[in-house]
Amino acid sequence: MNTFGDPVIWLPFVFAMLMGVSILIYVVLDGFDLGVGVLFPFADDDEKDRMIASIGPFWDANETWLVLAVGLLLVAFPAAHGEILTALYLPVAIMLIGLILRGVAFEFRAKAPAPHKATWNNLFFTGSLMTSLSQGFMLGMYVMGLDYTWAHFAFACLTAVFLTVGYSFIGATWIIHKTDEHLQRKAVDWAKGGIWGLVLGIGAISLATPFVSPRIFDKWFSFPEMLYLAPLPIVSGLLVISLWTMLRRMPLPDDRMSWAPFAVATALWVMAFLGMAYSFYPYVVPERLTIYDAASAPESLFIILIGTCIVLPTIMGYTVLAYTIFRGKATELRYD
């Protein structure tokens, strides 16, 4: 009997996959523009304008993926949506305040009188920092099973810092690609420092996750599963080595390979995401609700899937179009 032909089985799996892909795309794309905001205190005024120009055409499109992921969680897995949002109500509220603050500061810094521009720059940094820290905290609490203990709270605070540094790292690699000359060289130095925060964050989550439950431990350390999974840490290690090697040589003459650090950093995020996805599947709420327990009725999921088949290509097309039209180096920021 082919159970995967049963819509009760394959529809929740498809929606879990769509939600996971949406989260991954959001973390990479909005991660770099949040990282650019986190790096603001290390840049002078002219460099801040260039950094804003490098993310200006993209940041709205990037945040669309977060809306899609949360929307899929709500309509496809309403029981999980209720449990997750209830447990993470405060950090979600802080994240939303940070996103609003970023959006307002992004627009107002362009229109504010010169004496007030520094204030809006600081608020843009503050909003970016609030959003990054809150997302890192939510990640840590999710990994720990959404249970509030002092140990879990401390781990979540640790992942909040590591994710923020990871965002600053991928933001620095984006600046390497989108700028040149002095700012590009500064971005290389920022990336050299940020890569270690990213590595420590991935390492901390990778070490902690198997000990969250015996089920996850067995998935990673049983034989022969551990042989099948060996490529994940091996490839991740090779990506870190290649990133560090690239950064030591950057910038190259004629700006060659400026895109490579960002591309390899993205691959490293993908490896980390695949490891987490494997660890927690089939649970959408760790050790409480599987995607099959939390899923809406198959009839509802099928109707939602039809809408998703329209919405998802639209978002993807808009994203690809934005990155295609505004490819190349960020030019001087002008509002006239």
Side-chain angles (χ1 to χ4, degrees):
M1 181 179 178
N2 182 11
T3 57
F4 221 79
D6 185 350
V8 174
I9 302 298
W10 69 263
L11 276 171
F13 180 82
V14 167
F15 274 96
M17 186 172 62
L18 290 173
M19 187 175 67
V21 170
S22 300
I23 292 172
L24 175 60
I25 294 175
Y26 170 78
V27 166
V28 172
L29 297 187
D30 206 39
F32 79 70
D33 68 54
L34 285 169
V36 169
V38 171
L39 291 169
F40 250 41
F42 305 103
D44 61 35
D45 289 340
D46 290 337
E47 290 168 345
K48 288 173 184 173
D49 282 344
R50 191 83 183 276
M51 291 161 70
I52 285 288
S54 74
I55 64 173
F58 312 112
W59 71 284
D60 276 335
N62 295 344
E63 291 182 354
T64 306
W65 291 99
L66 177 62
V67 176
L68 177 63
V70 175
L72 288 174
L73 177 65
L74 172 62
V75 298
F77 307 105
H81 179 275
E83 283 213 28
I84 293 172
L85 269 294
T86 299
L88 301 176
Y89 186 86
L90 182 58
V92 167
I94 293 173
M95 179 187 72
L96 293 176
I97 293 171
L99 288 172
I100 293 169
L101 192 59
R102 262 173 55 88
V104 172
F106 190 97
E107 299 297 334
F108 275 58
R109 71 179 299 280
K111 302 173 178 63
H116 298 158
K117 188 174 180 179
T119 300
W120 290 110
N121 283 338
N122 291 333
L123 289 174
F124 184 75
F125 161 72
T126 302
S128 301
L129 187 64
M130 288 172 62
T131 304
S132 301
L133 288 172
S134 59
Q135 289 180 4
F137 184 87
M138 287 187 282
L139 173 62
M141 290 305 303
Y142 183 85
V143 168
M144 291 291 104
L146 301 176
D147 290 326
Y148 278 87
T149 67
W150 283 112
H152 293 176
F153 181 83
F155 180 80
C157 290
L158 192 67
T159 57
V161 173
F162 284 149
L163 185 70
T164 300
V165 176
Y167 279 170
S168 73
F169 167 72
I170 199 169
T173 63
W174 177 256
I175 296 170
I176 292 171
H177 173 50
K178 296 294 286 186
T179 64
D180 51 20
E181 298 178 347
H182 182 62
L183 179 55
Q184 187 183 56
R185 291 190 292 272
K186 286 183 74 170
V188 170
D189 292 334
W190 295 337
K192 286 179 181 177
I195 189 174
W196 301 114
L198 177 61
V199 170
L200 288 172
I202 293 175
I205 292 173
S206 299
L207 290 173
T209 300
F211 296 97
V212 171
S213 75
R215 179 189 64 84
I216 297 177
F217 187 91
D218 290 340
K219 289 183 77 169
W220 278 96
F221 296 109
S222 297
F223 191 85
E225 284 82 356
M226 62 187 305
L227 295 180
Y228 302 148
L229 296 169
L232 277 177
I234 292 172
V235 171
S236 297
L238 292 174
L239 289 173
V240 171
I241 293 171
S242 65
L243 267 171
W244 181 249
T245 303
M246 286 179 195
L247 292 172
R248 291 184 64 185
R249 297 175 179 173
M250 289 283 174
L252 296 173
D254 301 323
D255 203 40
R256 287 184 292 110
M257 302 289 289
S258 65
W259 54 269
F262 180 76
V264 178
T266 299
L268 188 58
W269 283 101
V270 171
M271 291 294 104
F273 178 82
L274 290 176
M276 278 199 62
Y278 172 79
S279 294
F280 289 103
Y281 177 81
Y283 286 87
V284 64
V285 178
E287 310 308 314
R288 297 185 195 176
L289 284 175
T290 68
I291 59 175
Y292 308 107
D293 297 329
S296 299
E299 296 82 3
S300 300
L301 289 178
F302 190 77
I303 295 173
I304 297 166
L305 182 61
I306 295 173
T308 304
C309 290
I310 298 171
V311 172
L312 184 60
T314 303
I315 297 175
M316 183 67 74
Y318 171 74
T319 302
V320 171
L321 182 64
Y323 281 85
T324 301
I325 291 175
F326 296 100
R327 64 187 181 276
K329 298 295 181 182
T331 56
E332 180 187 358
L333 187 64
R334 298 176 62 91
Y335 295 98
D336 52 3

